[in-house]
Amino acid sequence: MEYRKIKDQDKDGDAGGEDIESSRGKAHSVGNVDVERTRWKRKSAVTIALTVLTSSQAILIVWSKRAGKYEYSVTTANFMVETLKCALSLAALARTWRSEGVTEDNRLNTTLDEVIVFPIPAALYLVKNLLQYYIFAYVDAPGYQILKNLNIISTGVLYRIILKKKLSEIQWAAFILLCAGCTTAQLKSNSDHVLQTPFQGWVMAIVMALLSGFAGVYTEAIIKKRPMRNINVQNFWLYVFGMIFNAGAILVQDFDAVMNKGFFHGYSFITVLMIVNHALSGIAVSMVMKYADNIVKVYSTSVAMLLTAVVSVFLFGFNLSLAFFLGSTVVSVAVYLHSAGKLQR
């Protein structure tokens, strides 16, 4: 009898243990589901944000014109973009300081060796951002979104030259498709000119791509040199030098206009929206790379091209030709292949 009682107690104990383990497993499973759901919501939010911001960027620049020209100073607009990004980085840092405290990795005070490397990409972004406004004298909003993808080629080539990273065969094939897609999207059948974008527009697009690619690769090298450093600290110093260089551009290019008409002369509600859009776009890219991945960024870029074209039909009377549709499709495939090739390396 005693043996049976002990055996029955052992069985009860085993059953209780199984119940505990089962409950722990269920709790762990529920926890994983909650984490995945939170990640999915966060990824969806930043993806939608980046798509909307990217697609509306070119539209807002074109829309900010009056009678075909900018009544505001583009140098002051760029200065305000850098200032807003700097303020957003500081706000993110303040939140980190409140939750984690000030540490070696997130403090602002640093050495000259760390800070002195940031003027180079800041200067490159200055020229690239100024060209971004002037290129619209030759390119419409949908065409700009197509040609903007040329920076993928420049980035890939500069990766190979500067960082000594090999490119896969898929990526090289994607580069060829990208060039073909950009050219196809610009074809014009009802004119003596073969391409919609004139030679000056192509030159500016290529220069912008080279500047953007070199600045991006150089910035990545700086950031990865100190991987534990808080990204908002590094962004802060980059944007500070961006403000300095843009202030210099104001003095050189628009000093008389600013002194006579005021810093915010010619600004409108659309101009303010454009500045906010540019600042948030820069932050959104960082958020996507942190909370999502490169594939998400690729899809956002591809969808943004189509959204820009559709919206431009209603706002600017853009002609959505078969050549543009085919070209944008080829560009989307090329961008996806480039990202897929990057993942396979």
Side-chain angles (χ1 to χ4, degrees):
M1 292 293 292
E2 291 297 329
Y3 172 77
R4 287 183 179 179
K5 286 182 180 180
I6 294 172
K7 192 172 183 181
D8 291 338
Q9 288 174 1
D10 289 341
K11 287 181 179 180
D12 292 339
D14 291 341
E18 289 176 1
D19 291 339
I20 292 173
E21 291 299 325
S22 177
S23 62
R24 286 178 180 174
K26 289 179 180 178
H28 184 68
S29 177
V30 171
N32 285 339
V33 170
D34 291 338
V35 170
E36 289 299 322
R37 186 177 296 143
T38 301
R39 288 177 179 173
W40 182 84
K41 288 180 179 179
R42 184 179 291 169
K43 183 184 291 188
S44 301
V46 296
T47 302
I48 294 171
L50 182 61
T51 303
V52 173
L53 290 168
T54 303
S55 61
S56 58
Q57 197 171 78
I59 293 172
L60 288 172
I61 293 178
V62 175
W63 210 0
S64 67
K65 287 183 176 181
R66 293 178 182 175
K69 64 179 183 179
Y70 303 110
E71 292 190 356
Y72 60 90
S73 167
V74 295
T75 54
T76 62
N78 274 337
F79 178 84
M80 292 307 300
V81 169
E82 296 300 312
T83 302
L84 183 54
K85 288 194 291 187
C86 191
L88 291 172
S89 297
L90 274 178
L93 269 178
R95 184 178 178 182
T96 302
W97 292 336
R98 283 195 299 269
S99 60
E100 302 176 7
V102 179
T103 65
E104 184 70 20
D105 294 327
N106 64 27
R107 61 184 177 85
L108 278 179
N109 54 319
T110 182
T111 62
L112 180 63
D113 290 337
E114 180 183 6
V115 175
I116 204 167
V117 296
F118 288 103
I120 296 175
L124 294 172
Y125 281 126
L126 166 66
V127 181
K128 176 255 180 186
N129 290 334
L130 288 176
L131 283 176
Q132 183 176 242
Y133 289 92
Y134 298 124
I135 194 174
F136 284 101
Y138 308 100
V139 182
D140 53 25
Y144 170 79
Q145 289 286 26
I146 291 288
L147 295 175
K148 190 178 177 183
N149 288 288
L150 289 172
N151 68 351
I152 295 177
I153 298 177
S154 64
T155 301
V157 173
L158 290 169
Y159 255 107
R160 183 71 181 92
I161 296 173
I162 298 175
L163 299 182
K164 308 298 182 184
K165 291 187 177 181
K166 293 183 178 180
L167 301 175
S168 66
E169 293 180 358
I170 294 178
Q171 286 179 299
W172 285 114
F175 289 161
I176 297 173
L177 279 177
L178 189 60
C179 291
C182 288
T183 305
T184 303
Q186 293 295 306
L187 290 177
K188 194 173 184 179
S189 58
N190 57 350
S191 173
D192 294 335
H193 300 285
V194 178
L195 299 177
Q196 293 182 18
T197 302
F199 177 74
Q200 298 94 321
W202 279 96
V203 171
M204 294 180 76
I206 292 171
V207 172
M208 279 181 56
L210 288 172
L211 290 172
S212 178
F214 186 78
V217 172
Y218 191 84
T219 304
E220 181 179 344
I222 293 172
I223 291 173
K224 288 185 175 179
K225 188 176 181 181
R226 295 190 63 180
M228 298 305 294
R229 195 75 157 117
N230 188 291
I231 185 64
N232 291 304
V233 174
Q234 295 172 316
N235 282 341
F236 170 80
W237 286 111
L238 177 63
Y239 301 148
V240 164
F241 283 106
M243 292 170 61
I244 294 172
F245 285 125
N246 277 282
I250 294 172
L251 293 175
V252 172
Q253 183 173 327
D254 295 317
F255 179 75
D256 291 337
V258 170
M259 292 300 294
N260 295 328
K261 300 178 183 179
F263 190 90
F264 298 104
H265 75 274
Y267 275 50
S268 64
F269 179 68
I270 299 299
T271 311
V272 175
L273 279 181
M274 180 195 68
I275 290 171
V276 173
N277 174 280
H278 276 68
L280 292 180
S281 295
I283 302 297
V285 170
S286 299
M287 295 283 285
V288 165
M289 300 311 292
K290 181 176 181 179
Y291 295 119
D293 49 43
N294 198 48
I295 292 292
V296 171
K297 183 182 176 184
V298 164
Y299 282 131
S300 297
T301 303
S302 300
V303 174
M305 286 190 298
L306 299 178
L307 282 178
T308 301
V310 172
V311 174
S312 295
V313 170
F314 297 99
L315 290 181
F316 311 118
F318 173 71
N319 182 24
L320 193 61
S321 63
L322 178 62
F324 181 88
F325 177 77
L326 291 175
S328 60
T329 302
V330 173
V331 169
S332 299
V333 172
V335 173
Y336 174 78
L337 286 176
H338 171 79
S339 181
K342 186 175 181 180
L343 291 177
Q344 288 181 4
R345 280 181 4 213

